Amino acid sequence: MATLLSHLQQRPPLLRQAIKIRRRRVRDLQDPLPQTAPEIQPPSHHFSPEQRALLYEDALYTVLHRLGQPEPNHVTEASELLRYLQEAFHVEPEEHQQALQSVRELEKPVFCLKATVKQAKGILGKDVSGFSDPYCLLGIEQGVGVPGGSPGSRHRQKAVVRHTIPEEQTHRTQVITQTLNPVWDETFILEFEDITNASFHLDMWDLDTVESVRQKLGELTDLHGLRRIFKEARKDKGQDDFLGNVVLRLQVLTLMGWASPPARTCTAERTSGTPWNPALRPTQTAASATSSSNSSTSGEPPQPAARSPATRCTSTFCSSSCPTRSPSTRQWLAYSRLYQSLEFPSSCLLHPITSIEYQWIQGRLKAEQQEELAASFSSLLAYGLSLIRRFRSVFPLSVSDSPARLQSLLRVLVQMCKMKAFGELCSNTAPLPQLVTEALQTGTTEWFHLKQQHHQPMVQGILEAGKALLGLVQDVIGDLHQCQRTWDKIFHNTLKIHLFSMAFRELQWLVAKRVQDHTTAVGDAVSPEMGESLFQLYISLKELCQLRPSSSERDGVLALDNFHRWFQPAIPSWLQKTYNVALARVQRAVQMDELVPLGELTKHSTSAVDLSTCFAQISHTARQLDWPDPEEAFMITVKFVEDTCRLALVYCSLIKARARELSSGQKDQGQAANMLCVVVNDMEQLRLVIGKLPTQLAWEALEQRVGAVLEQGQLQNTLHAQLQSALAGLGHEIRTGVRTLAEQLEVGIAKHIQKLVGVRESVLPEDAILPLMKFLEVELCYMNTNLVKENFSSLLTLLWTHTLTVLVEAAASQRSSTLASNRLKIALQNLEICFHAEGCGLPPEALHTATFQALQRDLELQAASSRELIRKYFCSRIQQQAETTSEELGAVTVKACYRASEQKLRVELLSASSLLPLDSNGSSDPFVQLTLEPRHEFPELAARETQKHKKDLHPLFDETFEFLVPAEPCRKAGACLLLTVLDHDTLGADDLEGEAFLPLCEVPGLSGSEEPGDVPQTRLPLTYPAPNGDPILQLLEGRKGDREAQVFVRLRRHRAKQASQHALRPAP
């Protein structure tokens, strides 16, 4: 059985639940409305023009939206009824057209179909047992076909309800298990807007549950059941079976009266959709339409029953005198009570208001009727205010017609409060806007506390409380969005009440109090988990504050002003959390990177792209934070820049480690080199990303904000200096990143250098270094092709440093081998030429490092002969003598000249001064020993000595010595006169006072052919040998087979030992 109802507003989804006998019982309790007694209308001359125009519009609305198919002897065309109304009301054509146009623009009625699913007989058995578990799906499909057509005219669908009609508009009966003749007897209310193209669909299904084969075999009764098992095996598990459907075109349903029709397989009942009107009321008669039995699966609509006098819908004007209680009063009292107890369109309450107001003005209401009206006014007002107070739950936006229903309620209350009857009967009632405002304020507070209880955590704890508060704030934001977008317009248009402004003012105060209490409870010690919760809460509060109404809609200072100060202790935790998340993402990106270029034109890999996204996320977090305080915002930006630069350096370390990890398993050295080149390209891409920080973090806007707080140039000196330092460090990391690439070549370089040292003695040094030079030529050409100039230069620098290190190690291991040292020396010279590459490689200043210079000196020494080393030793002592200016050990004064004609070197030892007292008596017994060095250059000349002076620290020797020696050896580098000042000891060895070296090449007479004239005095400070040992002496000491070298080393070691036994003493 199905019944069509019509109303102006759509019912909420709650009516989509089964509305069974309870609805019928409620309807029986209502005051029965008279169906046959004519309604007495007052004479037309008693109506005011406004009331007459309203009555005329109601009549037009009834005709335009009439339902049903009239009988042949009745008026069928709406135009004829409209002309009849125009003549009856004596309306001019122009006025008639205006009223008709106004009525057509009004909202169309929304219909409800009341459908009762009774039973089904002889349905198909789909289960193995031969029975089914049937249930029905009901729904109305709107907008299908053209007027007058049928559902069968389009492509037939078996399951229209399940596959076409939205789920929220679908209704379902209970499942009747294991039967072929189910009985439901369930009633539903289905809503639709357009009856012209609407079709009622009822699909019947067999519920299938997932069962094992063993269970199905246990239910098997015959061969048909076995065939069903095989059929079910071909379909998805748990898929329901389609049993059939019923389709009814609502337009072709015949009209029924209020009496219930007899129950059939599918019965439809429809009443007029015209709303109640105190002046024009349509009467309803009944008829029935039946569909085929046994749940036909056909999509064709059922044919109507044979035409009878009952299949008609007529509208008549009824006129009589007013009864004791007028129909409008009875209708108001009944509807107002019904609205408070049952779901009912509030728009129906608008219609009796005009008649009641008219009767009040005419004074036709008795005292007891006035009391009833006053009680109904007060009751409806109280109930309406209670609904308004709870409008968030009573009119949820999840139901599409909620705004319209709330607006209808407000219109009813406004119209009721405007009535003179209401003003006189309820004179002590406050103005409606004031009552509604108070109700909204109370309801907002109650809603907030209800939401607070809803979010109350099950486990008590500060972290759980933070999560609950976050959920509460988000609910508040959502509610304010709804108020701003939907509810505020309704209340402002109806009552001039700014709901959004009022709700924001109330809710922000409540939220501020709880947030402040929560942050106080958290304190200054903020854990990472609590910091994350506080950050989400901070972001939500920023979003909440962004909703604040304009200054014209609010007064005073808001409680949430400067709320950011409550979160100051959490800032370090937020910054650390941002860094940790970014670091984890960088680590994960590097770990997943295979170091393969993304494309032919894109030389970097996936991790570089992920890193760019990671840095963009940091910038997004900074924009989210957007700290209001300028000075603190500056410090936060400094921290973000610092963390970003730190992440860049971490990425460099990780990507290099990843390259080493992947290269360790690569047997193909070329593939490993390609991966390492990608690493360098990734670092270059990172440098470009870091350079975009000023734009991503909006430094210009920050500089404008902090301009009045910071000193001029402070931002430039801090952020920009920090960025430049990071870029410089990143550039260093790029060069260092080439280290991994260089390591692949360093192995080959070390290998060839070791072979160079171990080659047999007969091979020439130039031939021995040839494999090393070929290896470098091939590898360096490859790297120069795959790397940019800057990175190639970095690679050369690393390789050069490593090569020097290997050469130093090789030179240290071959100190005693003159041949190997000579080969290393020649190799160093050729490597210098190779890495310079005629100006295309490293510049000279990059080649001639301290290591290179020291290695060059060491190799020159190691490759030299013993006599050459002795000569170099004296050269170094002469250099030491020239650099010594202090006379802490004393000094000697000599005059020396060379007479070329006699080939004699004349030395006049004048004196010594400020000698150290080496004897126990506080004095010394000095004398001077004179020798020409090196001895191999002057083998025939014996050492000379001066006389010994007793107890004299400033002896005057005034002795002359002549050495017969050719000029040529005297001119050689290292040739010198060694003056050794000794303290004579009678019982033991003489003590060393110091040594002085006079270079012979500077002696007058050796530089030219002329004889020297006046010979100047030369004062030579005394020196000691080096306490840590001379490297030349160490090389000579290692040459055990060279007697001359060993004699020289023993003498010099003895002198060094003597020097170490005497501490420096101040001159007397």
Side-chain angles (χ1 to χ4, degrees):
M1 177 178 63
T3 302
L4 277 172
L5 304 176
S6 172
H7 54 82
L8 287 178
Q9 302 296 335
Q10 191 176 359
R11 295 180 181 270
L14 294 176
L15 286 182
R16 294 171 190 158
Q17 308 295 331
I19 303 178
K20 304 183 191 297
I21 305 302
R22 180 175 61 85
R23 289 289 188 179
R24 300 195 184 104
R25 290 200 300 265
V26 172
R27 187 185 299 113
D28 294 338
L29 296 176
Q30 301 174 8
D31 293 337
L33 297 176
Q35 297 184 1
T36 58
E39 185 176 5
I40 300 177
Q41 301 293 338
S44 59
H45 60 273
H46 289 172
F47 286 100
S48 63
E50 293 78 10
Q51 294 173 339
R52 182 173 175 274
L54 180 59
L55 180 61
Y56 186 68
E57 291 181 356
D58 287 342
L60 294 178
Y61 188 93
T62 303
V63 172
L64 290 178
H65 299 287
R66 63 176 182 162
L67 296 178
Q69 297 178 356
E71 292 188 359
N73 57 342
H74 290 177
V75 178
T76 59
E77 297 295 334
S79 59
E80 297 183 17
L81 293 176
L82 293 176
R83 283 196 300 271
Y84 172 75
L85 289 176
Q86 180 182 357
E87 296 174 359
F89 279 81
H90 304 286
V91 178
E92 296 296 332
E94 182 178 355
E95 184 181 356
H96 170 75
Q97 290 298 329
Q98 293 179 355
L100 186 61
Q101 180 64 26
S102 176
V103 170
R104 284 174 176 169
E105 294 176 355
L106 294 177
E107 185 178 5
K108 295 183 179 180
V110 176
F111 306 96
C112 287
L113 176 68
K114 179 180 178 182
T116 300
V117 183
K118 290 291 188 179
Q119 63 181 359
K121 294 181 180 180
I123 65 175
L124 298 177
K126 292 290 186 177
D127 294 342
V128 176
S129 60
F131 296 95
S132 295
D133 302 324
Y135 66 92
C136 296
L137 295 178
L138 296 80
I140 293 181
E141 185 180 19
Q142 303 187 44
V144 179
V146 296
S150 65
S153 60
R154 62 179 179 86
H155 181 68
R156 180 175 298 176
Q157 296 183 4
K158 290 173 59 178
V160 174
V161 178
R162 173 167 292 179
H163 298 155
T164 305
I165 301 176
E167 183 178 355
E168 62 271 11
Q169 300 178 13
T170 303
H171 305 270
R172 174 172 173 166
T173 66
Q174 296 180 355
V175 179
I176 310 299
T177 59
Q178 295 300 296
T179 182
L180 298 180
N181 301 295
V183 177
W184 289 283
D185 197 17
E186 299 183 35
T187 301
F188 302 90
I189 298 294
L190 294 85
E191 304 172 357
F192 61 97
E193 296 181 355
D194 185 9
I195 193 173
T196 304
N197 298 320
S199 298
F200 170 77
H201 291 261
L202 184 145
D203 297 346
M204 186 180 297
W205 295 83
D206 169 43
L207 178 67
D208 281 348
T209 57
V210 180
E211 296 179 349
S212 64
V213 176
R214 178 179 300 178
Q215 291 174 333
K216 294 180 179 179
L217 290 176
E219 300 174 359
L220 185 64
T221 58
D222 53 14
L223 293 178
H224 294 286
L226 185 60
R227 186 165 61 251
R228 295 188 188 98
I229 292 179
F230 294 147
K231 184 178 180 180
E232 289 182 359
R234 295 194 298 269
K235 70 177 184 178
D236 297 336
K237 294 182 178 180
Q239 179 179 356
D240 296 347
D241 293 311
F242 185 70
L243 297 178
N245 66 348
V246 172
V247 182
L248 299 178
R249 289 281 297 174
L250 299 183
Q251 182 67 23
V252 301
L253 288 181
T254 56
L255 296 177
M256 300 295 295
W258 287 110
S260 298
R264 303 179 185 275
T265 303
C266 180
T267 305
E269 178 182 342
R270 185 173 67 178
T271 63
S272 174
T274 306
W276 283 98
N277 187 286
L280 179 62
R281 178 165 58 92
T283 61
Q284 296 84 14
T285 59
S288 63
T290 62
S291 68
S292 60
S293 62
N294 296 333
S295 299
S296 171
T297 59
S298 173
E300 296 297 332
Q303 297 298 326
R307 182 178 302 164
S308 66
T311 57
R312 65 180 181 273
C313 178
T314 61
S315 297
T316 61
F317 290 99
C318 302
S319 176
S320 67
S321 61
C322 182
T324 303
R325 178 187 293 176
S326 66
S328 59
T329 305
R330 291 197 307 269
Q331 186 179 357
W332 167 264
L333 294 177
Y335 282 8
S336 63
R337 287 196 300 269
L338 181 63
Y339 182 75
Q340 301 176 42
S341 59
L342 184 66
E343 182 70 23
F344 197 84
S346 58
S347 59
C348 295
L349 297 172
L350 288 173
H351 303 290
I353 289 180
T354 303
S355 297
I356 294 176
E357 183 73 353
Y358 175 77
Q359 294 175 15
W360 178 267
I361 296 174
Q362 298 296 325
R364 298 181 180 181
L365 297 179
K366 298 181 180 180
E368 54 187 38
Q369 294 178 351
Q370 295 180 7
E371 293 178 0
E372 291 179 347
L373 277 179
S376 66
F377 289 157
S378 300
S379 177
L380 182 61
L381 178 60
Y383 181 72
L385 291 176
S386 68
L387 295 182
I388 293 173
R389 189 181 75 251
R390 297 177 290 111
F391 77 92
R392 292 175 174 87
S393 58
V394 177
F395 306 100
L397 284 180
S398 58
V399 181
S400 58
D401 67 339
S402 290
R405 291 192 294 119
L406 175 59
Q407 187 172 15
S408 177
L409 172 62
L410 293 176
R411 288 171 56 193
V412 169
L413 295 180
V414 169
Q415 294 300 325
M416 182 185 72
C417 294
K418 287 182 178 179
M419 296 171 59
K420 292 184 178 180
F422 179 86
E424 296 180 10
L425 294 176
C426 304
S427 58
N428 296 329
T429 305
L432 181 61
Q434 178 182 346
L435 295 175
V436 172
T437 301
E438 294 174 356
L440 290 174
Q441 291 175 345
T442 304
T444 299
T445 305
E446 292 176 352
W447 174 87
F448 180 85
H449 290 298
L450 183 64
K451 285 295 181 180
Q452 186 178 11
Q453 293 177 1
H454 173 73
H455 288 285
Q456 191 71 21
M458 299 295 294
V459 180
Q460 297 297 327
I462 190 65
L463 186 60
E464 289 73 15
K467 294 180 181 178
L469 182 57
L470 175 61
L472 178 61
V473 174
Q474 290 175 347
D475 284 349
V476 168
I477 294 174
D479 180 74
L480 287 176
H481 277 297
Q482 293 180 358
C483 291
Q484 187 179 38
R485 297 169 183 170
T486 304
W487 304 123
D488 187 75
K489 181 180 180 181
I490 294 176
F491 283 95
H492 183 265
N493 292 341
T494 308
L495 294 168
K496 304 302 180 182
I497 295 176
H498 290 284
L499 171 64
F500 171 71
S501 179
M502 182 274 299
F504 181 86
R505 191 164 50 249
E506 292 292 329
L507 291 175
Q508 66 88 26
W509 183 86
L510 295 170
V511 168
K513 185 177 185 304
R514 280 143 187 85
V515 172
Q516 193 169 12
D517 292 343
H518 177 68
T519 54
T520 303
V522 171
D524 296 337
V526 180
S527 64
E529 295 79 7
M530 181 55 65
E532 176 66 19
S533 176
L534 289 178
F535 183 77
Q536 297 299 328
L537 182 59
Y538 173 81
I539 297 302
S540 297
L541 289 179
K542 282 180 62 66
E543 183 180 357
L544 176 60
C545 289
Q546 290 174 357
L547 294 175
R548 66 195 307 167
S550 60
S551 57
S552 60
E553 298 178 4
R554 65 177 179 90
D555 299 323
V557 180
L558 296 180
L560 282 178
D561 287 343
N562 299 322
F563 75 90
H564 65 279
R565 297 177 180 174
W566 306 336
F567 295 87
Q568 284 180 338
I571 293 179
S573 175
W574 296 347
L575 298 178
Q576 187 63 37
K577 175 70 173 181
T578 303
Y579 175 78
N580 292 340
V581 171
L583 177 61
R585 185 169 181 177
V586 169
Q587 292 173 340
R588 184 167 58 254
V590 173
Q591 190 62 31
M592 297 175 62
D593 197 350
E594 295 297 329
L595 298 182
V596 177
L598 293 176
E600 296 182 358
L601 300 179
T602 305
K603 300 300 181 181
H604 53 266
S605 60
T606 57
S607 62
V609 178
D610 292 339
L611 189 65
S612 302
T613 306
C614 181
F615 287 170
Q617 183 62 37
I618 294 178
S619 302
H620 175 68
T621 303
R623 291 191 297 270
Q624 277 186 313
L625 191 57
D626 191 22
W627 198 256
D629 183 78
E631 189 171 0
E632 294 177 356
F634 171 72
M635 300 306 299
I636 291 173
T637 304
V638 170
K639 179 61 177 175
F640 276 126
V641 174
E642 178 183 350
D643 290 345
T644 304
C645 297
R646 193 195 315 174
L647 283 174
L649 299 180
V650 170
Y651 173 79
C652 292
S653 301
L654 293 176
I655 200 67
K656 289 188 295 183
R658 179 63 174 170
R660 287 192 295 269
E661 177 184 352
L662 295 178
S663 300
S664 61
Q666 289 287 344
K667 296 182 180 180
D668 185 4
Q669 295 297 327
Q671 183 65 24
N674 290 336
M675 288 191 298
L676 296 177
C677 290
V678 173
V679 170
V680 178
N681 295 332
D682 287 343
M683 294 182 180
E684 182 65 23
Q685 178 67 18
L686 174 60
R687 186 185 67 82
L688 298 177
V689 173
I690 292 294
K692 298 178 181 178
L693 276 181
T695 302
Q696 293 180 343
L697 296 180
W699 285 10
E700 292 184 1
L702 178 64
E703 188 172 4
Q704 295 177 358
R705 290 178 55 194
V706 303
V709 179
L710 301 180
E711 297 180 359
Q712 186 177 3
Q714 185 174 355
L715 185 141
Q716 186 77 18
N717 297 333
T718 304
L719 291 180
H720 290 274
Q722 191 177 26
L723 179 61
Q724 293 302 322
S725 176
L727 291 175
L730 186 57
H732 173 72
E733 284 296 328
I734 292 176
R735 293 187 297 270
T736 306
V738 185
R739 163 61 61 189
T740 307
L741 187 62
E743 289 176 355
Q744 303 296 324
L745 303 179
E746 291 173 355
V747 176
I749 293 175
K751 179 179 178 181
H752 284 85
I753 291 177
Q754 293 299 328
K755 289 182 178 181
L756 170 67
V757 174
V759 74
R760 62 180 181 273
E761 297 182 0
S762 60
V763 178
L764 296 176
E766 291 78 6
D767 296 334
I769 65 173
L770 188 59
L772 172 62
M773 303 310 298
K774 289 184 176 180
F775 169 79
L776 287 176
E777 181 181 2
V778 173
E779 296 297 335
L780 293 181
C781 288
Y782 172 81
M783 293 300 170
N784 188 32
T785 304
N786 291 274
L787 295 176
V788 297
K789 182 178 180 180
E790 292 77 7
N791 293 331
F792 180 68
S793 298
S794 300
L795 176 65
L796 288 179
T797 302
L798 292 174
L799 292 177
W800 176 247
T801 303
H802 173 74
T803 302
L804 292 179
T805 302
V806 175
L807 289 175
V808 168
E809 294 176 355
S813 63
Q814 301 294 327
R815 293 178 63 86
S816 60
S817 175
T818 305
L819 178 61
S821 298
N822 188 40
R823 290 175 178 172
L824 293 176
K825 175 183 175 181
I826 296 176
L828 179 63
Q829 295 172 352
N830 284 272
L831 288 173
E832 179 185 4
I833 297 174
C834 175
F835 278 86
H836 182 60
E838 298 180 352
C840 297
L842 295 178
E845 56 271 15
L847 292 170
H848 299 161
T849 62
T851 303
F852 169 80
Q853 295 175 2
L855 177 61
Q856 190 177 42
R857 290 193 302 267
D858 292 343
L859 289 178
E860 288 180 357
L861 293 177
Q862 292 178 202
S865 63
S866 297
R867 289 188 174 183
E868 184 67 18
L869 289 178
I870 294 174
R871 184 186 64 80
K872 289 180 178 295
Y873 174 80
F874 283 108
C875 287
S876 65
R877 293 305 302 270
I878 292 173
Q879 181 67 25
Q880 179 187 1
Q881 182 71 59
E883 295 174 355
T884 302
T885 58
S886 173
E887 297 183 358
E888 294 182 5
L889 302 179
V892 294
T893 303
V894 298
K895 294 174 62 177
C897 64
Y898 183 78
R899 295 180 180 179
S901 58
E902 301 177 0
Q903 291 189 346
K904 288 184 179 180
L905 176 65
R906 178 182 175 85
V907 179
E908 184 177 352
L909 184 58
L910 300 178
S911 63
S913 61
S914 303
L915 301 178
L916 295 178
L918 301 180
D919 293 339
S920 59
N921 57 9
S923 185
S924 293
D925 303 326
F927 69 97
V928 179
Q929 189 179 76
L930 293 82
T931 57
L932 293 181
E933 300 290 348
R935 298 299 300 168
H936 61 268
E937 295 289 349
F938 309 98
E940 304 296 334
L941 297 178
R944 310 288 180 86
E945 292 184 357
T946 65
Q947 296 181 359
K948 300 175 179 62
H949 291 249
K950 298 292 184 177
K951 300 179 181 180
D952 192 356
L953 298 180
H954 305 278
L956 297 176
F957 297 106
D958 199 13
E959 299 183 28
T960 302
F961 303 92
E962 291 185 351
F963 298 91
L964 183 63
V965 58
E968 186 62 26
C970 295
R971 294 192 180 100
K972 292 182 179 180
C976 63
L977 173 65
L978 173 58
L979 303 172
T980 305
V981 182
L982 301 171
D983 172 35
H984 176 68
D985 284 341
T986 305
L987 300 179
D990 297 335
D991 297 325
L992 178 65
E993 289 278 358
E995 295 177 324
F997 297 85
L998 177 66
L1000 296 181
C1001 62
E1002 298 179 1
V1003 173
L1006 284 174
S1007 58
S1009 58
E1010 297 181 358
E1011 295 291 333
D1014 294 335
V1015 178
Q1017 297 182 0
T1018 303
R1019 187 176 178 88
L1020 301 174
L1022 298 180
T1023 61
Y1024 273 166
N1028 296 328
D1030 193 282
I1032 296 179
L1033 296 180
Q1034 294 176 358
L1035 288 175
L1036 291 174
E1037 188 176 10
R1039 300 179 180 181
K1040 302 298 184 182
D1042 193 336
R1043 184 174 176 277
E1044 183 179 3
Q1046 297 301 317
V1047 172
F1048 179 78
V1049 170
R1050 282 197 299 269
L1051 176 60
R1052 300 318 305 169
R1053 293 294 188 194
H1054 177 67
R1055 294 302 186 199
K1057 182 178 180 181
Q1058 288 179 319
S1060 63
Q1061 293 176 352
H1062 305 292
L1064 294 179
R1065 304 175 185 174

